[in-house]
Every structure is written in C-alpha cells, then in structure tokens.
Amino acid sequence: MSMGSTSASTLPPDFLWGFATASYQIEGAVDEDGRGPSIWDTFCKIPGKIARGGTGEVACDSYHRTLEDIALLKRCGAKSYRFSVSWSRIIPLGGRNDPINEKGLQHYIKFIDDLLAAGITPLVTLYHWDLPDELDKRYGGLLNKDEFVADFAHYARVVFQAFGSRVKHWITFNEPWCISVLGYNVGQFAPGRTSDRTKSPVGESSRECWIVGHSILVAHGVTVKIYRDEFQAGDGGEIGITLNGDWAEPWDPENPVDVEACDRKIEFAISWFADPIYHGKYPDSMVKQLGDRLPSWAPEDIGLVHGSNDFYGMNHYCANYIKAKTGEPDPNDTAGNLEILLQNKNGEWIGPETQCPWLRPCAIGFRKLLKWLSERYNYPKIYVTENGTSLKGENDLPLEQLLQDEFRTQYFRDYIGAMADAYTLDGVNVRAYMAWSLMDNFEWAEGYETRFGVTYVDYENGQKRIPKQSAKTIREIFDQHIEKA
Ligand code: GBH
C-alpha cells in the first residue's frame, strides 16, 4: 500500500493547514473561573439526549491543558489551529448589559499568546453552538432576532477588542444548518426544540428553523460590519462564516428528477446561507417550497449580509445519493423534498461504513463540491475548516490497534488529494485546511462513543492524549502536495 496520496496535484507554498476543535467539545471546566452555563450544559442534563449520558463537564480537560494541546499541534507539524471561544466564559449571562468576566478573556489571551509563541496561527470561531443558557431562557435565544443580534454583536466586539490584534482569521458561526435544523426542527441538538412531542414539549419544526437561520445570517452580517468598520484596518485580519454540506449524487443518474434534486439538496443545505451572502437572496428552490415560512429580507438586513464573507469556511465530510420525492413536500421537510440515501439504485454504497450512520467517505465528492461552490459563488477564497472521519467500532478496539488508524489515514490521503486536484485541475481557490479533529472529543448527541481525533484521549485515565498514526501522516501528506517556496 502506498504511504502517500495518489494525486500528483499541488497546493501553494503558503497553504495553511492544521486541526480544528470546539470549546464545548474539549474544554470541560464548566463551572470554573466564572463561566456561565450554555444551552449544551442544560441539554446534556435531560435524560436520553446524549449517548450513555455523556456531558461536556470534563471532556478533554483542555481548559487546564492548553500547553499540552499546543505541544500536540507542534508534534503534528501543524501550522494553524482552529478553536472556538465559549461565549459564557466571556459574558457568563451572555447579554449586552451583563457583566464581562475578565478571567474568561485572560484564559483565551494567554492561550493565543502561547499558540503564537509556538508559531501556530489561530483561527477563532465565535460561535460553535454553546449559546449562554440565560439568553435562551431570557428571550428565546436565536428565535428572537433583534435581541440575539444585539447580544451577539456586543459579544463579538468584546472579543475583537480583547484579542483582535493577535488573531487574523475569524469565523462568526459554525454550521448554521446544524444550529437551525438539528436544534429547532429535529431536536437532536440543544436547545432540542421540535414538533415531535415525544422529544420535546416545545417547538414548531415547520417554522422555527427558518427563523433561526435568518437570525444567524443577520448576526453574521452585523458582526462583519463591526469588524470591518472598527477593527480590520488596524488589525489586518479577515472574517467569514463556516457552512457544512456534503456532496450529492443522483440515486438514479438516468432520471432527470434525481439529477435535479441533487442541486436542490445542496441549495437547501448550503445555499440557504451562501446565496444571501454571495447573491443577496434566498435560493428560488427554497422560496418556492417554503413560501412565507422563509422570512423575507428587510432591505437593511440583506444589505449587511450581501458581500459579508472575506473567505468561505467549508466543513465537509461525505456524500449522499439523492432520490427526488414525488408529491407535496411535508411541512417539516428541510431537505428539499427528497430522500438522502447511502445506496444508489443498484444497491451500491456511496462509501465504506464508519461509526456514524451519516458518514461514508467519498473523496471525489469533495473535489466536486469545491468546484460546485466555486462556480456558483465566483471562485471565492475557500478555507476548509473541518474534514475528517470516525471509524466503525474504534472505541471498542484494544489500544494498540486503535492507534493504527489506517482507515482514517487513508481518508486524509484521499480527501487532501481530492482537494489538491480541485486546486490544480479545477482552479478552485482553496487556501487552508483544518482536519477534524486534533483529538477525540465530546461528539454532541453521540457522546464519547464516536471518536474523530488524530489523537486518542483516554477518558478513563485522566484524559491522557496519545497520537494515532493519522496524527503523524497528515504532515507527510501535506509535505507531498505543498510546493516548496
Ligand atoms: C461537524 O458537523 C461539527 O462542526 C463538529 O462539531 C462535529 O464534531 C463534527 O462535525 C463531527 O460530527 O443524519 O440528519 O443527523 C458535521 C456536520 C451535519 C454531520 C449533520 C452530521 C447529521 C445529519 N453534521 N449530520 S442527520
């Protein structure tokens, strides 16, 4: 078996690569130094929401191990690190008139200084799902656009002021699709609202997710304006949003309605957010299906959203087969009136099985989606802010075997190779790549059973970290592709 990637394509000399994590998934220390609870602390306490009753209370204990994490990054050869800030560490109650917690700010300032001293470039996400719980209770959180936008903008300004001079790459929101659909339609993520009364006493799946998505877009637009007006000239940084989305192949390539449904699937998943940002409107397919359940744009709001990305943040994991549904769409449908499948008409799987039912690797889909996005949005600068895989049964393997994660290593060879092909052969302007994740961590509703790390975390023995094979190989893969300056 070859050690390197099979693609001969190159990436530019200044290509930035590294690893990603998120605050609630790794930090632990939920009650320390004045941190207030987030909606995920609350959600984890509801029995049945998280596999085996997992919570982020300790997680990887990264709040106490920042130097260890930086040493891990160094050892992997990473040039950059994407992490997120916990809003409720900085403003424990979250609101614009609530007290600011100096200890929370100091924690991140020290961490960023240590990263910079180690020669690692920070990419900072402002919101990776951990809304201060008080804001959810006070006014319904993201359902209340005006309050949420004002509070988020204030939080963002506090963060820009405190560490703006040190950070050159900002991400406003991680995966608004997940926040909206999983949090307010399916109810699988905090705050868990859904019309399904077996899961939640509150929620209205057919409407709330579209309202929440709108709030996020406006908050993003307002925050980007603040950064551009007040900080960008002095700090010289850039700002964008991170959107998730997987590639779509037709279930039956001979059937035009399945072929058409593939574009519609990506529009509902990605263009929901990217079209307002790059084209100043929601996709026609969504307007057509959702009617007045999709909020309409106030001119001042869309004016802020349109043109608000300095780069496109792309999270990408896998691909699906798409089969068009016939008949009227269900009012709770968020996919675009289609089925999302893992097998095609001939019964062929899109890729091999992993620990996640939704994730089957298909690297060519990465290249195809990079091209699709580039064509639709006029070749924006793209930062891949997450890409990675779990392994079927990894958690049950003896340690020695678990550390030989050849399946994950091959995933990275194939996906990084596909990205290099997109750069070299398709003219895609991709400039950075962060693997998910630096270490095994709290995988939301899947708890700790599913591991995504290139580093093993031993949750039974003081969160000890041991690099897996993939942690060492990523550097070799990038060495192979990146042109020497
Ligand atoms: C990322 O989301 C997150 O940003 C990160 O925090 C997380 O740890 C990582 O992925 C690994 O999961 O079949 O309807 O349940 C990835 C995007 C989109 C993947 C929704 C799971 C489930 C679709 N996610 N998807 S569903």
Side-chain angles (χ1 to χ4, degrees):
M1 187 186 317
S2 83
M3 275 310 287
S5 148
T6 50
S7 157
S9 296
T10 59
L11 293 165
D14 61 350
F15 192 88
L16 203 58
W17 69 270
F19 299 89
T21 61
S23 48
Y24 192 71
Q25 294 181 271
I26 65 163
E27 284 182 352
V30 293
D31 293 325
E32 252 167 271
D33 290 343
R35 178 187 179 277
S38 78
I39 54 173
W40 271 93
D41 294 279
T42 305
F43 190 65
C44 289
K45 292 200 173 98
I46 306 173
K49 296 299 182 194
I50 314 294
R52 298 200 194 167
T55 78
E57 246 167 275
V58 180
C60 307
D61 195 33
S62 281
Y63 188 75
H64 300 120
R65 291 167 195 251
T66 54
L67 292 175
E68 229 178 291
D69 289 351
I70 293 171
L72 270 180
L73 288 160
K74 288 287 284 182
R75 202 167 148 177
C76 299
K79 297 197 211 175
S80 54
Y81 183 48
R82 172 183 179 234
F83 65 94
S84 81
V85 172
S86 156
W87 182 346
S88 64
R89 284 197 196 282
I90 310 258
I91 309 172
L93 297 174
R96 56 201 181 278
N97 299 312
D98 296 321
I100 291 172
N101 179 30
E102 196 54 37
K103 281 190 176 162
L105 284 174
Q106 286 312 322
H107 169 78
Y108 291 111
I109 289 173
K110 164 105 172 59
F111 180 51
I112 293 166
D113 281 343
D114 291 343
L115 277 171
L116 292 171
I120 295 165
T121 302
L123 279 78
V124 178
T125 309
L126 292 171
Y127 189 91
H128 200 124
W129 308 352
D130 42 0
L131 181 78
D133 195 49
E134 169 65 17
L135 301 187
D136 190 54
K137 299 202 158 62
R138 195 179 278 173
Y139 55 71
L142 286 88
L143 287 167
N144 189 327
K145 186 193 83 173
D146 291 343
E147 290 292 328
F148 174 73
V149 169
D151 284 346
F152 184 80
H154 168 76
Y155 155 63
R157 187 184 271 116
V158 168
V159 172
F160 294 149
Q161 253 153 13
F163 31 102
S165 62
R166 298 163 169 91
V167 175
K168 308 298 174 198
H169 312 279
W170 296 98
I171 293 148
T172 53
F173 288 89
N174 180 70
E175 301 189 345
W177 183 94
C178 288
I179 300 168
S180 310
V181 172
L182 301 180
Y184 295 83
N185 170 280
V186 181
Q188 183 192 340
F189 282 6
R193 296 175 66 99
T194 174
S195 293
D196 181 348
R197 290 289 166 262
T198 67
K199 286 196 196 158
S200 168
V202 286
E204 168 51 65
S205 295
S206 73
R207 291 189 178 270
E208 290 184 358
C209 56
W210 312 115
I211 294 169
V212 166
H214 204 76
S215 299
I216 295 171
L217 278 165
V218 178
H220 164 78
V222 168
T223 303
V224 170
K225 181 171 166 50
I226 289 172
Y227 187 68
R228 287 179 179 167
D229 289 354
E230 301 171 31
F231 299 94
Q232 202 161 39
D235 294 344
E238 51 180 3
I239 187 163
I241 196 167
T242 280
L243 306 178
N244 63 290
D246 300 321
W247 178 244
E249 287 287 340
W251 181 76
D252 176 3
E254 308 291 307
N255 188 345
V257 298
D258 286 354
V259 175
E260 218 177 282
C262 287
D263 274 346
R264 198 163 68 245
K265 150 76 166 70
I266 302 175
E267 287 169 356
F268 271 72
I270 296 176
S271 308
W272 173 8
F273 304 99
D275 272 18
I277 291 172
Y278 289 96
H279 297 159
K281 61 188 189 67
Y282 284 125
D284 293 341
S285 57
M286 295 184 71
V287 175
K288 185 170 170 226
Q289 180 176 319
L290 302 169
D292 67 1
R293 286 184 288 128
L294 196 60
S296 55
W297 283 110
E300 62 274 22
D301 286 348
I302 193 62
L304 290 169
V305 173
H306 192 188
S308 58
N309 254 2
D310 294 336
F311 61 85
Y312 180 103
M314 176 180 186
N315 285 2
H316 181 80
Y317 287 86
C318 54
N320 296 118
Y321 287 117
I322 303 303
K323 189 175 194 299
K325 281 187 182 170
T326 49
E328 280 306 297
D330 183 296
N332 295 338
D333 173 68
T334 60
N337 205 27
L338 48 87
E339 286 177 72
I340 298 174
L341 303 167
L342 298 164
Q343 284 172 291
N344 65 12
K345 196 184 176 187
N346 299 329
E348 292 152 354
W349 294 97
I350 192 104
E353 209 180 358
T354 69
Q355 182 64 24
C356 308
W358 56 271
L359 200 174
R360 284 177 178 254
C362 173
I364 187 69
F366 190 21
R367 178 174 169 192
K368 290 182 181 178
L369 185 60
L370 281 160
K371 186 160 183 271
W372 191 98
L373 293 170
S374 297
E375 285 170 352
R376 190 171 178 109
Y377 301 118
N378 196 22
Y379 292 82
K381 176 160 68 179
I382 297 178
Y383 290 171
V384 176
T385 44
E386 285 179 29
N387 175 241
T389 192
S390 59
L391 261 77
K392 184 77 189 162
E394 187 178 18
N395 194 40
D396 304 321
L397 292 175
L399 181 61
E400 226 169 285
Q401 272 181 47
L402 187 153
L403 296 176
Q404 297 304 314
D405 59 341
E406 177 55 29
F407 182 87
R408 180 176 286 108
T409 307
Q410 189 60 42
Y411 178 97
F412 286 129
R413 285 187 198 111
D414 293 343
Y415 270 77
I416 294 166
M419 174 177 69
D421 286 345
Y423 177 80
T424 304
L425 305 173
D426 304 332
V428 165
N429 189 19
V430 58
R431 295 285 165 165
Y433 174 99
M434 307 299 130
W436 185 271
S437 175
L438 177 62
M439 61 195 137
D440 296 333
N441 58 48
F442 175 70
E443 181 51 19
W444 308 111
E446 292 183 41
Y448 293 97
E449 265 169 67
T450 303
R451 296 176 178 269
F452 268 90
V454 299
T455 306
Y456 171 74
V457 177
D458 187 346
Y459 300 111
E460 253 86 77
N461 291 291
Q463 333 309 105
K464 187 170 177 234
R465 289 123 161 83
I466 310 174
K468 305 176 192 174
Q469 177 194 313
S470 57
K472 298 160 194 156
T473 318
I474 286 196
R475 180 208 299 241
E476 293 166 24
I477 301 168
F478 277 106
D479 274 350
Q480 185 195 333
H481 287 292
I482 294 177
E483 292 167 30
K484 307 289 169 281

